Structures are given as C-alpha cells and as structure tokens.
Amino acid sequence: MLIDGFGRKHDYLRVSVTERCNFRCQYCMPEKPFSWVPKENLLSYEDLFKFISASIDEGIKKVRITGGEPLLREGLDVFIKMIFDYKNDIDLALTTNGFLLPKVAQELKNAGLKRINISLDSMNPATAAKIAQKDVLGTVLAGIQAADDAGLKIKINCVPIKGINDIDVIDVLDFCKEKGYVIRFIEFMENHHAKDGAKGLNSDEIKALVSKKYPNFKAVPRDNSSPAQYYELEDGYQFGIIEPHKDDFCAACNRIRLTAEGFLIPCLYFEDAMSIKDAIQKNNVDEAVAILKKVLAGKPEKNKWSVKDDNEVSSRAFYQTGG
Ligand code: SAM
Ligand code: SF4
C-alpha cells in the first residue's frame, strides 16, 4: 500500500503521455511553448508501462491518462490495452479535449478504457473558439457523442473564466443534465503559463450562477474519493465543483502524477518532483518504486492556491503535469 507522510492512502496514478496539444486554451497553454520536449526525451510506452504495472502491484487502483492532449500520441489504444491486459479491473480513464475522439472512441473502448473526462467550456461556438483559440465546438460535441456511442462513462470538465465563459455555466450544465453526464466545474488555478489577466470563478460565484436557474440545490455529503464537492438539484441531478482554493480539498488527496518525461509530482502546486526515468530505462523497477515511496513521504499536506506564494508555486504548466 502507498501511504504518504500524512497517512493518506494513494491509489490513483495520473500519467501524462505528452505535453503537446492541438488547442491553446487561455487558462492552460495560450501560446505554443518556445520548444516542445523532444520526442526522444519522452518515456516510451514500454517504460511507462513498467512503472504503471509496478505501481499497480504497490496498490494503485486507478490510472488516468492525460497530457497535453493524450490523443495526439500515436498508439494510445495499444498502450491502454497493455495496462488493461495487466489488470483488467483497474479503473482505467482518460482526460481529453475530445477533438480527436470521433475517430478513436470505439478503439479506445475496445482496448479496455472504461471512463473518459472531456473538457467542454462552452456551448457557444464563438466562446469555445475564444478559449481554445480554434474552432472546436462541433468536433468536440461529435467526440462526446462518439464516446457515448462507444459505451464509455463520460464526465465533463469545465473551467469558468470571468468575462469569457462565465455566462455559459448554465448551458453546459443543462447539456450534461439532458445527456445524463456528470459535470464538474473546476476553479481556475492561477499559473505562470495562463493568459495574463485570466481570472477564474470561485465555487461561490459558480453556485451563484447556477442558482439563477436552479435556486434550490443542496450540498451532497462529501465523498472523500472525489476531488469534487457535489450539489444536488431538486430533480436529483448532481453537479460537482472542484475547489482547489479550499483547504479541505487536500485532506483526502490520493493522487500522484507522472509526466511524459518521467517526473513524479506529489502536488500540482509545488515545484517538487523526482525523476524515475534513469531507473526505469535501466530496468531497475525496484529503484523506481523506491523513488515513488520517497516522493510520497515528502508530499506536502496541502496546496497554497488560496494564498498563492510566488516563491513556492510551481513553474510547471498544466499541460506538462496533466492537470
Ligand atoms: N487536454 C486534455 C483536456 O483538456 O482535457 C487533458 C489535459 S488538461 C491539462 C487536464 C485538465 O486540466 C482539463 O480538464 C483542463 O480543463 C484542466 N486545466 C488546465 N489548466 C487549468 C487551470 N489553469 N486551472 C484549472 N484547470 C485547468
Ligand atoms: Fe490543451 Fe487540455 Fe491545456 Fe486545453 S487544457 S491547452 S486542451 S492540454
């Protein structure tokens, strides 16, 4: 079992397979980075799999593939199948912007993928284009439908940004409600790479917007296995808000992140990271597991997004850590 220095059990590994992306979301990668990590610096699927399978042996029960845009990396279905074939009851999930899904949703499902989180920031084509800096909405909606048709369990992620898609909160919620998808609104986490001046809505502001159409919703008792606080509308539909600016967000943290270059990151907020790359490339899986345990032992108790200390906040981008 993987336990950190504060007694938190860790059973959730997020694996980024690329930092590259076909969108330029204002809150994440508003401009193409000066240079991408050269492909040869990325861990191969075989090396990522060596680490993932060892982590599963140590108690990891949920693996989420993310990026950048994970569907940009070729052969993702084969990689998913490697994990599925190792342990088919692993909760195997993917986070994607959905743009490439229309062609590959069924292949991913056939490979063993169970769940998919898709980013959807607006139901208005012009607003979606303003955020992603590309005309994306029609294709993303087709991607969501393809995932649904393939039988994948769908969750939608939406990051409300002031003055851009704040007016779309109800429309995105209603779309998900109609389709029966879970929606989680994510509070924007300030970072050096987001567009200058981008300001997110906090959970109170999101709730105030929802209450304009649905005045009587109530908080659902917190499920510690989820980063979201859920709220229930009168008709029973539940929506979630991920509130990293609140202290209680971290108390039940069960996740550890691996970047495409092989860095293990204990907390998104802080700079701390250790590389497993050398160990895994030398086939020294025991050493990689020892590094994992060391990273967990030093994992901070909580993030500091509520105070945002520029001396401590990580210089890494969300497209590198996988969000
Ligand atoms: N490209 C995929 C996507 O957009 O879903 C996966 C990678 S993306 C980094 C993972 C998640 O991080 C997405 O749901 C995205 O909305 C979220 N995200 C990115 N930057 C963020 C920020 N500054 N604050 C909050 N969430 C952010
Ligand atoms: Fe790309 Fe996802 Fe970041 Fe948007 S949030 S730029 S889709 S990695």
Side-chain angles (χ1 to χ4, degrees):
M1 198 183 289
L2 296 165
I3 309 272
D4 77 357
F6 295 93
R8 292 171 293 196
K9 186 175 147 197
H10 280 61
D11 56 9
Y12 178 11
L13 176 66
R14 295 176 66 100
V15 179
S16 170
V17 293
T18 181
E19 59 167 358
R20 296 174 193 231
C21 192
N22 45 358
F23 287 16
R24 294 287 174 269
C25 298
Q26 297 204 22
Y27 49 74
C28 179
M29 191 199 295
E31 278 160 36
K32 182 183 174 299
F34 182 65
S35 62
W36 298 116
V37 173
K39 283 194 178 149
E40 57 274 19
N41 286 15
L42 303 182
L43 285 181
S44 65
Y45 283 144
E46 288 69 25
D47 284 339
L48 287 170
F49 173 71
K50 271 186 243 164
F51 181 75
I52 293 170
S53 52
S55 307
I56 291 173
D57 294 346
E58 292 293 327
I60 290 294
K61 297 201 167 9
K62 172 171 172 182
V63 175
R64 174 174 300 281
I65 296 159
T66 176
E69 176 45 45
L71 297 180
L72 285 178
R73 186 154 169 185
E74 266 173 54
L76 196 72
D77 57 327
V78 177
F79 178 52
I80 286 172
K81 186 154 170 33
M82 285 160 86
I83 303 168
F84 179 78
D85 285 347
Y86 187 73
K87 201 158 190 303
N88 62 16
D89 61 349
I90 283 290
D91 183 359
L92 195 44
L94 175 79
T95 299
T96 170
N97 62 31
F99 197 79
L100 298 172
L101 265 183
K103 284 193 191 128
V104 299
Q106 189 63 57
E107 280 168 27
L108 297 172
K109 168 75 176 156
N110 296 347
L113 189 71
K114 293 177 182 144
R115 299 192 299 110
I116 194 154
N117 289 8
I118 306 170
S119 296
L120 179 68
D121 291 321
S122 174
M123 298 306 294
N124 176 319
T127 310
K130 191 167 180 189
I131 293 186
Q133 304 193 71
K134 173 170 171 172
D135 180 16
V136 295
L137 186 63
T139 312
V140 169
L141 291 176
I144 294 173
Q145 191 57 50
D148 202 346
D149 294 344
L152 289 161
K153 277 183 86 177
I154 296 174
K155 277 187 188 158
I156 300 294
N157 291 334
C158 174
V159 181
I161 301 293
K162 283 187 183 165
I164 303 183
N165 62 335
D166 40 3
I167 50 167
D168 298 284
V169 160
I170 291 282
D171 286 350
V172 178
L173 178 99
D174 279 345
F175 168 77
C176 295
K177 185 157 125 54
E178 230 164 76
K179 291 282 196 179
Y181 307 149
V182 172
I183 167 112
R184 285 111 38 92
F185 296 103
I186 306 175
E187 285 181 344
F188 167 65
M189 287 167 258
E190 299 77 10
N191 68 93
H192 301 304
H193 303 265
K195 191 160 180 124
D196 275 351
K199 284 206 167 38
L201 264 59
N202 65 32
S203 66
D204 288 340
E205 291 166 326
I206 296 167
K207 283 185 272 179
L209 285 173
V210 173
S211 68
K212 284 187 184 168
K213 179 158 181 189
Y214 301 106
N216 299 315
F217 61 81
K218 53 179 194 305
V220 172
R222 181 117 200 183
D223 166 4
N224 277 344
S225 65
S226 165
Q229 168 65 54
Y230 281 92
Y231 299 89
E232 190 167 294
L233 305 185
E234 275 180 306
D235 64 5
Y237 178 74
Q238 294 188 357
F239 68 95
I241 305 183
I242 298 183
E243 307 165 308
H245 294 84
K246 284 200 177 148
D247 276 359
D248 57 0
F249 179 80
C250 304
C253 186
N254 63 345
R255 58 191 60 196
I256 185 97
R257 294 172 170 84
L258 179 66
T259 71
E261 282 184 281
F263 285 102
L264 276 175
I265 296 170
C267 175
L268 267 188
Y269 180 87
F270 295 94
E271 194 71 41
D272 317 5
M274 283 180 85
S275 177
I276 55 141
K277 188 174 182 176
D278 279 355
I280 218 76
Q281 285 184 335
K282 284 185 198 138
N283 243 341
N284 194 341
V285 177
D286 288 348
E287 192 189 329
V289 169
I291 295 170
L292 168 61
K293 290 184 176 168
K294 200 167 169 189
V295 168
L296 283 177
K299 176 163 172 154
E301 187 179 11
K302 45 174 111 160
N303 76 54
K304 290 196 183 171
W305 256 294
S306 54
V307 287
K308 198 168 171 288
D309 179 342
D310 268 344
N311 296 319
E312 286 183 308
V313 70
S314 166
S315 61
R316 270 185 308 264
F318 275 60
Y319 57 82
Q320 293 166 319
T321 52

mmCIF file of all heavy atoms in Angstrom, residues 210-234:
data_model
loop_
_atom_site.group_PDB
_atom_site.id
_atom_site.type_symbol
_atom_site.label_atom_id
_atom_site.label_comp_id
_atom_site.label_asym_id
_atom_site.label_seq_id
_atom_site.Cartn_x
_atom_site.Cartn_y
_atom_site.Cartn_z
ATOM 1 N N VAL A 210 -25.434 29.175 -10.975
ATOM 2 C CA VAL A 210 -26.353 28.027 -11.085
ATOM 3 C C VAL A 210 -27.690 28.367 -10.420
ATOM 4 O O VAL A 210 -28.766 28.040 -10.932
ATOM 5 C CB VAL A 210 -25.727 26.761 -10.449
ATOM 6 C CG1 VAL A 210 -26.735 25.611 -10.413
ATOM 7 C CG2 VAL A 210 -24.470 26.344 -11.214
ATOM 8 N N SER A 211 -27.612 29.074 -9.277
ATOM 9 C CA SER A 211 -28.850 29.330 -8.514
ATOM 10 C C SER A 211 -29.799 30.285 -9.244
ATOM 11 O O SER A 211 -30.971 30.368 -8.911
ATOM 12 C CB SER A 211 -28.533 29.842 -7.111
ATOM 13 O OG SER A 211 -27.970 31.122 -7.215
ATOM 14 N N LYS A 212 -29.298 30.997 -10.264
ATOM 15 C CA LYS A 212 -30.213 31.857 -11.028
ATOM 16 C C LYS A 212 -31.280 31.014 -11.729
ATOM 17 O O LYS A 212 -32.409 31.430 -11.876
ATOM 18 C CB LYS A 212 -29.436 32.663 -12.081
ATOM 19 C CG LYS A 212 -28.676 33.812 -11.465
ATOM 20 C CD LYS A 212 -28.066 34.670 -12.543
ATOM 21 C CE LYS A 212 -27.230 35.765 -11.901
ATOM 22 N NZ LYS A 212 -26.397 36.456 -12.858
ATOM 23 N N LYS A 213 -30.892 29.828 -12.196
ATOM 24 C CA LYS A 213 -31.892 28.960 -12.832
ATOM 25 C C LYS A 213 -32.403 27.887 -11.864
ATOM 26 O O LYS A 213 -33.554 27.469 -11.953
ATOM 27 C CB LYS A 213 -31.292 28.297 -14.084
ATOM 28 C CG LYS A 213 -32.283 27.363 -14.764
ATOM 29 C CD LYS A 213 -31.982 27.104 -16.221
ATOM 30 C CE LYS A 213 -33.024 26.189 -16.828
ATOM 31 N NZ LYS A 213 -32.658 25.755 -18.177
ATOM 32 N N TYR A 214 -31.519 27.425 -10.991
ATOM 33 C CA TYR A 214 -31.882 26.341 -10.062
ATOM 34 C C TYR A 214 -31.635 26.827 -8.629
ATOM 35 O O TYR A 214 -30.595 26.515 -8.035
ATOM 36 C CB TYR A 214 -31.040 25.090 -10.348
ATOM 37 C CG TYR A 214 -31.213 24.566 -11.768
ATOM 38 C CD1 TYR A 214 -30.217 24.747 -12.726
ATOM 39 C CD2 TYR A 214 -32.382 23.909 -12.140
ATOM 40 C CE1 TYR A 214 -30.377 24.275 -14.025
ATOM 41 C CE2 TYR A 214 -32.549 23.436 -13.441
ATOM 42 C CZ TYR A 214 -31.548 23.621 -14.371
ATOM 43 O OH TYR A 214 -31.711 23.153 -15.658
ATOM 44 N N PRO A 215 -32.597 27.598 -8.062
ATOM 45 C CA PRO A 215 -32.338 28.236 -6.765
ATOM 46 C C PRO A 215 -32.200 27.252 -5.602
ATOM 47 O O PRO A 215 -31.530 27.557 -4.626
ATOM 48 C CB PRO A 215 -33.534 29.169 -6.562
ATOM 49 C CG PRO A 215 -34.547 28.814 -7.592
ATOM 50 C CD PRO A 215 -33.893 28.000 -8.649
ATOM 51 N N ASN A 216 -32.829 26.065 -5.733
ATOM 52 C CA ASN A 216 -32.842 25.173 -4.564
ATOM 53 C C ASN A 216 -31.975 23.945 -4.775
ATOM 54 O O ASN A 216 -32.480 22.859 -5.025
ATOM 55 C CB ASN A 216 -34.277 24.729 -4.254
ATOM 56 C CG ASN A 216 -35.154 25.916 -3.932
ATOM 57 O OD1 ASN A 216 -34.740 26.794 -3.176
ATOM 58 N ND2 ASN A 216 -36.328 25.972 -4.541
ATOM 59 N N PHE A 217 -30.661 24.118 -4.705
ATOM 60 C CA PHE A 217 -29.817 22.916 -4.723
ATOM 61 C C PHE A 217 -29.106 22.830 -3.384
ATOM 62 O O PHE A 217 -28.930 23.834 -2.697
ATOM 63 C CB PHE A 217 -28.845 22.927 -5.899
ATOM 64 C CG PHE A 217 -27.863 24.061 -5.915
ATOM 65 C CD1 PHE A 217 -26.709 24.015 -5.146
ATOM 66 C CD2 PHE A 217 -28.093 25.178 -6.710
ATOM 67 C CE1 PHE A 217 -25.806 25.058 -5.172
ATOM 68 C CE2 PHE A 217 -27.196 26.233 -6.742
ATOM 69 C CZ PHE A 217 -26.046 26.171 -5.966
ATOM 70 N N LYS A 218 -28.757 21.583 -3.025
ATOM 71 C CA LYS A 218 -28.096 21.431 -1.728
ATOM 72 C C LYS A 218 -26.820 20.606 -1.855
ATOM 73 O O LYS A 218 -26.699 19.764 -2.771
ATOM 74 C CB LYS A 218 -29.055 20.809 -0.702
ATOM 75 C CG LYS A 218 -29.705 19.515 -1.140
ATOM 76 C CD LYS A 218 -30.619 18.990 -0.036
ATOM 77 C CE LYS A 218 -31.059 17.561 -0.230
ATOM 78 N NZ LYS A 218 -31.705 17.154 -1.445
ATOM 79 N N ALA A 219 -25.896 20.856 -0.948
ATOM 80 C CA ALA A 219 -24.625 20.124 -0.975
ATOM 81 C C ALA A 219 -24.874 18.669 -0.602
ATOM 82 O O ALA A 219 -25.672 18.367 0.288
ATOM 83 C CB ALA A 219 -23.647 20.754 -0.001
ATOM 84 N N VAL A 220 -24.187 17.791 -1.293
ATOM 85 C CA VAL A 220 -24.277 16.357 -1.018
ATOM 86 C C VAL A 220 -23.123 16.046 -0.054
ATOM 87 O O VAL A 220 -22.043 16.614 -0.203
ATOM 88 C CB VAL A 220 -24.086 15.590 -2.352
ATOM 89 C CG1 VAL A 220 -23.963 14.100 -2.140
ATOM 90 C CG2 VAL A 220 -25.209 15.921 -3.323
ATOM 91 N N PRO A 221 -23.323 15.151 0.953
ATOM 92 C CA PRO A 221 -22.200 14.828 1.840
ATOM 93 C C PRO A 221 -20.964 14.433 1.035
ATOM 94 O O PRO A 221 -21.067 13.706 0.043
ATOM 95 C CB PRO A 221 -22.716 13.652 2.668
ATOM 96 C CG PRO A 221 -24.208 13.794 2.630
ATOM 97 C CD PRO A 221 -24.545 14.425 1.312
ATOM 98 N N ARG A 222 -19.836 14.933 1.447
ATOM 99 C CA ARG A 222 -18.609 14.804 0.661
ATOM 100 C C ARG A 222 -18.150 13.354 0.548
ATOM 101 O O ARG A 222 -18.085 12.640 1.551
ATOM 102 C CB ARG A 222 -17.523 15.648 1.326
ATOM 103 C CG ARG A 222 -16.213 15.638 0.627
ATOM 104 C CD ARG A 222 -15.871 17.006 0.153
ATOM 105 N NE ARG A 222 -14.881 16.898 -0.907
ATOM 106 C CZ ARG A 222 -14.346 17.936 -1.486
ATOM 107 N NH1 ARG A 222 -14.704 19.139 -1.150
ATOM 108 N NH2 ARG A 222 -13.453 17.770 -2.425
ATOM 109 N N ASP A 223 -17.834 12.940 -0.682
ATOM 110 C CA ASP A 223 -17.254 11.614 -0.910
ATOM 111 C C ASP A 223 -15.747 11.833 -1.009
ATOM 112 O O ASP A 223 -15.264 12.475 -1.929
ATOM 113 C CB ASP A 223 -17.824 11.047 -2.221
ATOM 114 C CG ASP A 223 -17.051 9.838 -2.726
ATOM 115 O OD1 ASP A 223 -16.126 9.385 -2.026
ATOM 116 O OD2 ASP A 223 -17.364 9.350 -3.831
ATOM 117 N N ASN A 224 -15.042 11.282 -0.040
ATOM 118 C CA ASN A 224 -13.612 11.576 0.044
ATOM 119 C C ASN A 224 -12.790 11.050 -1.122
ATOM 120 O O ASN A 224 -11.663 11.465 -1.328
ATOM 121 C CB ASN A 224 -13.033 11.037 1.363
ATOM 122 C CG ASN A 224 -13.292 12.022 2.484
ATOM 123 O OD1 ASN A 224 -13.627 13.192 2.210
ATOM 124 N ND2 ASN A 224 -13.171 11.568 3.718
ATOM 125 N N SER A 225 -13.366 10.123 -1.895
ATOM 126 C CA SER A 225 -12.578 9.592 -3.009
ATOM 127 C C SER A 225 -12.627 10.531 -4.214
ATOM 128 O O SER A 225 -11.962 10.305 -5.208
ATOM 129 C CB SER A 225 -13.085 8.210 -3.401
ATOM 130 O OG SER A 225 -14.403 8.341 -3.889
ATOM 131 N N SER A 226 -13.432 11.606 -4.135
ATOM 132 C CA SER A 226 -13.549 12.526 -5.268
ATOM 133 C C SER A 226 -12.991 13.898 -4.901
ATOM 134 O O SER A 226 -13.194 14.372 -3.790
ATOM 135 C CB SER A 226 -15.025 12.661 -5.637
ATOM 136 O OG SER A 226 -15.205 13.775 -6.478
ATOM 137 N N PRO A 227 -12.309 14.561 -5.862
ATOM 138 C CA PRO A 227 -11.832 15.917 -5.562
ATOM 139 C C PRO A 227 -12.967 16.938 -5.615
ATOM 140 O O PRO A 227 -12.786 18.087 -5.249
ATOM 141 C CB PRO A 227 -10.824 16.184 -6.687
ATOM 142 C CG PRO A 227 -11.301 15.349 -7.827
ATOM 143 C CD PRO A 227 -11.944 14.130 -7.221
ATOM 144 N N ALA A 228 -14.142 16.525 -6.082
ATOM 145 C CA ALA A 228 -15.237 17.481 -6.264
ATOM 146 C C ALA A 228 -16.203 17.459 -5.088
ATOM 147 O O ALA A 228 -16.457 16.415 -4.489
ATOM 148 C CB ALA A 228 -15.997 17.148 -7.546
ATOM 149 N N GLN A 229 -16.736 18.630 -4.786
ATOM 150 C CA GLN A 229 -17.892 18.722 -3.891
ATOM 151 C C GLN A 229 -19.126 18.690 -4.800
ATOM 152 O O GLN A 229 -19.212 19.473 -5.754
ATOM 153 C CB GLN A 229 -17.839 20.035 -3.098
ATOM 154 C CG GLN A 229 -19.123 20.379 -2.360
ATOM 155 C CD GLN A 229 -19.456 19.385 -1.246
ATOM 156 O OE1 GLN A 229 -18.617 19.130 -0.367
ATOM 157 N NE2 GLN A 229 -20.639 18.791 -1.301
ATOM 158 N N TYR A 230 -20.049 17.766 -4.518
ATOM 159 C CA TYR A 230 -21.237 17.664 -5.368
ATOM 160 C C TYR A 230 -22.428 18.385 -4.747
ATOM 161 O O TYR A 230 -22.524 18.519 -3.513
ATOM 162 C CB TYR A 230 -21.578 16.189 -5.646
ATOM 163 C CG TYR A 230 -20.676 15.626 -6.738
ATOM 164 C CD1 TYR A 230 -19.482 14.997 -6.429
ATOM 165 C CD2 TYR A 230 -21.017 15.786 -8.080
ATOM 166 C CE1 TYR A 230 -18.639 14.532 -7.426
ATOM 167 C CE2 TYR A 230 -20.179 15.315 -9.083
ATOM 168 C CZ TYR A 230 -18.999 14.700 -8.756
ATOM 169 O OH TYR A 230 -18.160 14.246 -9.739
ATOM 170 N N TYR A 231 -23.313 18.861 -5.626
ATOM 171 C CA TYR A 231 -24.540 19.553 -5.234
ATOM 172 C C TYR A 231 -25.691 18.912 -5.995
ATOM 173 O O TYR A 231 -25.513 18.500 -7.148
ATOM 174 C CB TYR A 231 -24.446 21.045 -5.587
ATOM 175 C CG TYR A 231 -23.312 21.726 -4.857
ATOM 176 C CD1 TYR A 231 -22.029 21.757 -5.420
ATOM 177 C CD2 TYR A 231 -23.501 22.297 -3.600
ATOM 178 C CE1 TYR A 231 -20.967 22.337 -4.747
ATOM 179 C CE2 TYR A 231 -22.436 22.896 -2.914
ATOM 180 C CZ TYR A 231 -21.176 22.907 -3.494
ATOM 181 O OH TYR A 231 -20.120 23.476 -2.828
ATOM 182 N N GLU A 232 -26.859 18.841 -5.341
ATOM 183 C CA GLU A 232 -27.995 18.163 -5.967
ATOM 184 C C GLU A 232 -29.119 19.153 -6.267
ATOM 185 O O GLU A 232 -29.550 19.891 -5.382
ATOM 186 C CB GLU A 232 -28.507 17.059 -5.037
ATOM 187 C CG GLU A 232 -29.520 16.158 -5.697
ATOM 188 C CD GLU A 232 -29.769 14.903 -4.866
ATOM 189 O OE1 GLU A 232 -28.853 14.074 -4.715
ATOM 190 O OE2 GLU A 232 -30.904 14.789 -4.358
ATOM 191 N N LEU A 233 -29.570 19.146 -7.518
ATOM 192 C CA LEU A 233 -30.719 19.968 -7.893
ATOM 193 C C LEU A 233 -31.992 19.289 -7.393
ATOM 194 O O LEU A 233 -31.973 18.112 -7.020
ATOM 195 C CB LEU A 233 -30.798 20.131 -9.418
ATOM 196 C CG LEU A 233 -29.568 20.673 -10.158
ATOM 197 C CD1 LEU A 233 -29.905 20.871 -11.639
ATOM 198 C CD2 LEU A 233 -29.069 21.973 -9.555
ATOM 199 N N GLU A 234 -33.082 19.999 -7.443
ATOM 200 C CA GLU A 234 -34.352 19.447 -6.932
ATOM 201 C C GLU A 234 -34.773 18.160 -7.632
ATOM 202 O O GLU A 234 -35.373 17.286 -7.044
ATOM 203 C CB GLU A 234 -35.471 20.492 -7.071
ATOM 204 C CG GLU A 234 -35.491 21.453 -5.893
ATOM 205 C CD GLU A 234 -36.588 22.485 -6.016
ATOM 206 O OE1 GLU A 234 -36.644 23.162 -7.065
ATOM 207 O OE2 GLU A 234 -37.395 22.594 -5.076
#
